Amino acid sequence: MTFPQLSNDPGQQALYTLIQRSIANAGGWLGFDRFMALALYASGMGYYANSLRKFGLSSESGSDFATAPEMSTHFGRTLAHQVAQALHVTGTDEVWEFGAGSGALALQLLERLGDSVKRYTIVDLSGSLRERQQDTLKAHAHQVRWVDALPEQLSGVVVGNEVLDAMPVQLLVRKGGVWHERGVVWHATAPIRAGADGAGTTSPLQWQDRVTDLRPPVEIEGEHDYLTEIHSQAEAFVATLADRFKAGEAAMGKGGAAFLIDYGFPEHEYFHPQRSMGTLMCHQLHKADSDPLVDVGRKDITAHVNFTGVALAAQDAGLNVLGYTSQAHFLINCGLLPPLVDAPLDEKSMAQKLITEHEMGELFKVIALGTAEWEPMGFAQGDRTHTL
């Protein structure tokens, strides 16, 4: 088998070679979830495993997107109030963060929580991001540790900001009334496609659909063609988290709580008949596009979260759904606004982006899960659990 030269970057070329080999080993067709896992997480090569900058406020920095902690320190400082309450209720002193990015959120939480957190554990597969996190968190080195996977027993408070959206999804497409799973194939003769800068580029990766027995969790009204995603890996992650929480509670007598923040919808909105093009999106140099098969390894690939699926997976695994609301309601409930009264105008402006409807306030949601039933402060007003 020959592997064509597709990139002048050795890491990206190695990723293309790995993908071509994986497609061949799978019989010529690779489900999109398996492709997405390689594109994002292949060791040393995938987007989250390579040395690209990723997180930042503008493309001039070489970054691709900004998350809430990069936009405003008030995000983590406000979330810290909720984490502090959860630590008290669960009787624990450890925080776990999944996908800590630049380390900005960890820093904001630790600065506010102080010695009430005995250990802050970051679960992150990216070596380059870990180095950046270690530099950001050097003042808290005595509290922070890094692990590659969850332990068999877990207690404490879990936070995950924009983690679920980066978990691989399967693509389902209804064509002519028949459901197919969309996958990726390799074509040696590559057509010209639009790259991130709008210029023409080539990609030997092409879509191919196969008839499947898989279905969305709800029936999609109408007979029109329809593309969507299903989230088995995100739901499996939540089920695993539940199992580890329950094991920790059984072994140590202390439970846990998780706060997951991401963009997405409840099921009835996610699979609305008019959302016929799905939610899959790529991010590169602060521009969005919908073609994950171009410039693989150099851009983020995401899908919105089906929060109903997350809630059901948690309940099926024995966790309680403690609350679900918009990011705006959550942060206001947790005390975002009072510190902004006397804040400088630029600081106030960036913090407002966290809660305004046309920015992050409505699209982003927060769901809380726990081993015990209690009422977190973040859902005191505007709880939407009944919509899941």
Side-chain angles (χ1 to χ4, degrees), residues 238-239 241-243 245-246 256 258 311 313-321 369-372:
V238 171
L241 185 62
D243 289 342
F245 268 150
K246 291 188 295 181
Q315 288 182 328
D316 289 345
L319 289 184
N320 298 288
V321 177
L369 313 170
T371 53

Side-chain angles (χ1 to χ4, degrees), residues 14 18 24 33 69 83 86 91 93-94 103 105 107 112 125 180 192 214 224-225 244 276-277 289 338 346 373 375 378:
L18 174 62
D33 56 330
V83 173
D93 56 15
E94 183 166 5
L105 178 57
L107 180 63
R112 183 55 57 94
L125 302 178
H180 300 72
I192 300 296
L214 295 171
H224 56 297
D225 289 355
R244 305 302 163 82
S276 60
M277 297 304 293
D289 72 82
D346 59 341
E373 287 194 58
E375 297 181 5

Side-chain angles (χ1 to χ4, degrees), residues 1 3-4 6 12-22 186:
M1 181 184 297
F3 300 103
L6 297 170
Q12 188 179 39
Q13 176 61 34
L15 178 59
Y16 276 118
T17 299
L18 174 62
I19 291 171
Q20 183 181 13
R21 183 180 293 116
S22 299
W186 188 278

Side-chain angles (χ1 to χ4, degrees), residues 224-248:
H224 56 297
D225 289 355
Y226 193 91
L227 173 66
T228 192
E229 307 89 23
I230 54 175
H231 302 257
S232 56
Q233 292 204 28
E235 292 165 12
F237 163 75
V238 171
T240 299
L241 185 62
D243 289 342
R244 305 302 163 82
F245 268 150
K246 291 188 295 181

Side-chain angles (χ1 to χ4, degrees), residues 37-95:
L38 293 173
L40 295 182
Y41 302 110
S43 179
M45 298 173 282
Y47 178 76
Y48 281 108
N50 63 33
S51 59
L52 292 174
R53 181 171 173 79
K54 304 172 184 65
F55 302 92
L57 292 178
S58 67
S59 58
E60 285 74 20
S61 68
S63 64
D64 298 313
F65 56 87
T67 60
E70 275 82 36
M71 293 174 64
S72 172
T73 58
H74 287 279
F75 179 79
R77 293 173 184 175
T78 304
L79 178 59
H81 296 148
Q82 178 62 88
V83 173
Q85 183 193 28
L87 289 169
H88 175 73
V89 170
T90 58
T92 59
D93 56 15
E94 183 166 5
V95 174

Side-chain angles (χ1 to χ4, degrees), residues 50-52 61 75 78 125 129 147-148 176 208 231 248-249 275 324 331 348 364:
N50 63 33
S51 59
L52 292 174
S61 68
F75 179 79
T78 304
L125 302 178
L129 284 177
V147 298
D148 297 325
Q208 188 177 98
H231 302 257
E249 188 174 42
R275 201 179 303 282
Y324 167 72
L331 292 176
K348 189 178 299 186
F364 279 72

